[in-house]
Amino acid sequence: MLLEHDEGKELVHTRQIICRGYRRRDGLWQIEASVADEKGQAVPFRSRPDVASGELIHHLALCVVIDDEYQIRDASAKTMAAPWPVCSDVAADYRKLIGLRIGPGFTRAVREVLGGTLGCTHLTDLLGQVGNTYMQASYPDRLARQRLHGEDPRRWPDARTLAFVDGCHAWRKGGPVLAAEYPQLAGDEPAVAPESGGSSDPRRTPAER
């Protein structure tokens, strides 16, 4: 599809990842993600029937509830299709995600509690997409809260709102996108400390700040 010469090919596997982000009435964010692997050819096994062409070898789902402070408040996992019955044994262990925060160090923290034999490879990998979906879904609301402090992003209490700056080619410092959207961040001017000194959410306690 993307290559100039891609004729003569046979479809043997289709992986579909679907992620949806919901704003809940209680102010939390609910991220629902699923991964499905459909085989385009039979997969042989020794101790169970083969997976036939057109069948799903994996169909797994996660539901993660996250608050405005990037913290996971609830989590559940479900196995709808897997090659082995024992694959679903670890579903309840994904509640270990509760208390972790989306952001720097999240992948490492996930691996510590669910990596390797502690979890399901496909569900654990899906958590990266859950984090991305949360950031995308909550971004307009997070941006609106910061803009209450003014239009200069250097004065925003929560610097994580623009954590994507200098994280890709489009948002690179010195590039036209950053210069147009946030000219204050385009140069080498020092950041200005926010007047309020701290929390992006006044509901947090002093200890949490």
Side-chain angles (χ1 to χ4, degrees), residues 26-41:
D26 59 5
L28 300 176
W29 301 90
Q30 184 163 313
I31 310 302
E32 298 177 0
S34 65
V35 55
D37 287 313
E38 179 183 340
K39 303 308 298 183
Q41 61 183 6

Side-chain angles (χ1 to χ4, degrees), residues 93 96-97 100 107-115 118-119 124:
D93 292 329
K96 295 177 182 177
L97 294 168
L100 300 186
T107 300
R108 181 177 64 253
V110 167
R111 295 294 178 185
E112 288 176 356
V113 296
L114 292 168
L118 299 176
T124 300

Side-chain angles (χ1 to χ4, degrees), residues 162-175 177-178 185:
L162 298 181
F164 52 81
V165 170
D166 225 19
C168 72
H169 176 74
W171 282 106
R172 70 190 186 278
K173 289 185 176 180
V177 173
L178 188 62
L185 302 179

Side-chain angles (χ1 to χ4, degrees), residues 4 11 18 23 38 42 46 50 66 70 87 90 92-94 121-122 129 137 146 150 153 167 179-180 185 201:
E4 183 178 354
L11 179 63
I18 299 175
R23 182 193 294 110
E38 179 183 340
R46 292 184 174 184
D50 296 351
I66 309 170
Y70 308 81
C87 290
V90 296
D93 292 329
Y94 280 79
T121 298
H122 309 288
Q129 296 301 319
Q146 298 311 302
L185 302 179
D201 186 345

Side-chain angles (χ1 to χ4, degrees), residues 5-201:
H5 302 290
D6 64 352
E7 66 277 2
K9 60 188 180 183
E10 176 189 4
L11 179 63
V12 296
H13 187 88
T14 300
R15 165 164 280 206
Q16 291 187 325
I17 295 175
I18 299 175
C19 300
R20 293 187 172 94
Y22 299 90
R23 182 193 294 110
R24 303 190 350 166
R25 292 180 181 177
D26 59 5
L28 300 176
W29 301 90
Q30 184 163 313
I31 310 302
E32 298 177 0
S34 65
V35 55
D37 287 313
E38 179 183 340
K39 303 308 298 183
Q41 61 183 6
V43 180
F45 290 93
R46 292 184 174 184
S47 59
R48 54 149 289 170
D50 296 351
V51 174
S53 175
E55 289 185 350
L56 296 177
I57 191 170
H58 300 117
H59 191 193
L60 312 161
L62 286 168
C63 181
V64 183
V65 178
I66 309 170
D67 65 21
D68 283 337
E69 293 303 309
Y70 308 81
Q71 186 172 41
I72 295 176
R73 302 281 293 274
D74 200 2
S76 64
K78 185 177 182 181
T79 301
M80 289 79 77
W84 312 106
V86 296
C87 290
S88 61
D89 289 352
V90 296
D93 292 329
Y94 280 79
R95 291 191 61 77
K96 295 177 182 177
L97 294 168
I98 297 174
L100 300 186
R101 289 184 184 274
I102 306 297
F106 176 66
T107 300
R108 181 177 64 253
V110 167
R111 295 294 178 185
E112 288 176 356
V113 296
L114 292 168
T117 59
L118 299 176
C120 165
T121 298
H122 309 288
L123 283 173
T124 300
D125 287 347
L126 190 58
L127 284 166
Q129 296 301 319
V130 167
N132 288 338
T133 303
Y134 163 75
M135 298 300 283
Q136 291 285 334
S138 63
Y139 177 71
D141 288 41
R142 290 184 286 114
L143 181 63
R145 287 197 301 273
Q146 298 311 302
R147 293 183 70 178
L148 293 175
H149 299 272
E151 291 299 319
D152 188 342
R154 296 170 299 175
R155 302 181 66 85
W156 293 354
D158 189 357
R160 296 169 296 182
T161 303
L162 298 181
F164 52 81
V165 170
D166 225 19
C168 72
H169 176 74
W171 282 106
R172 70 190 186 278
K173 289 185 176 180
V177 173
L178 188 62
E181 287 290 310
Y182 298 104
Q184 303 92 335
L185 302 179
D188 297 323
E189 298 180 38
V192 179
E195 293 178 351
S196 58
S199 171
S200 60
D201 186 345

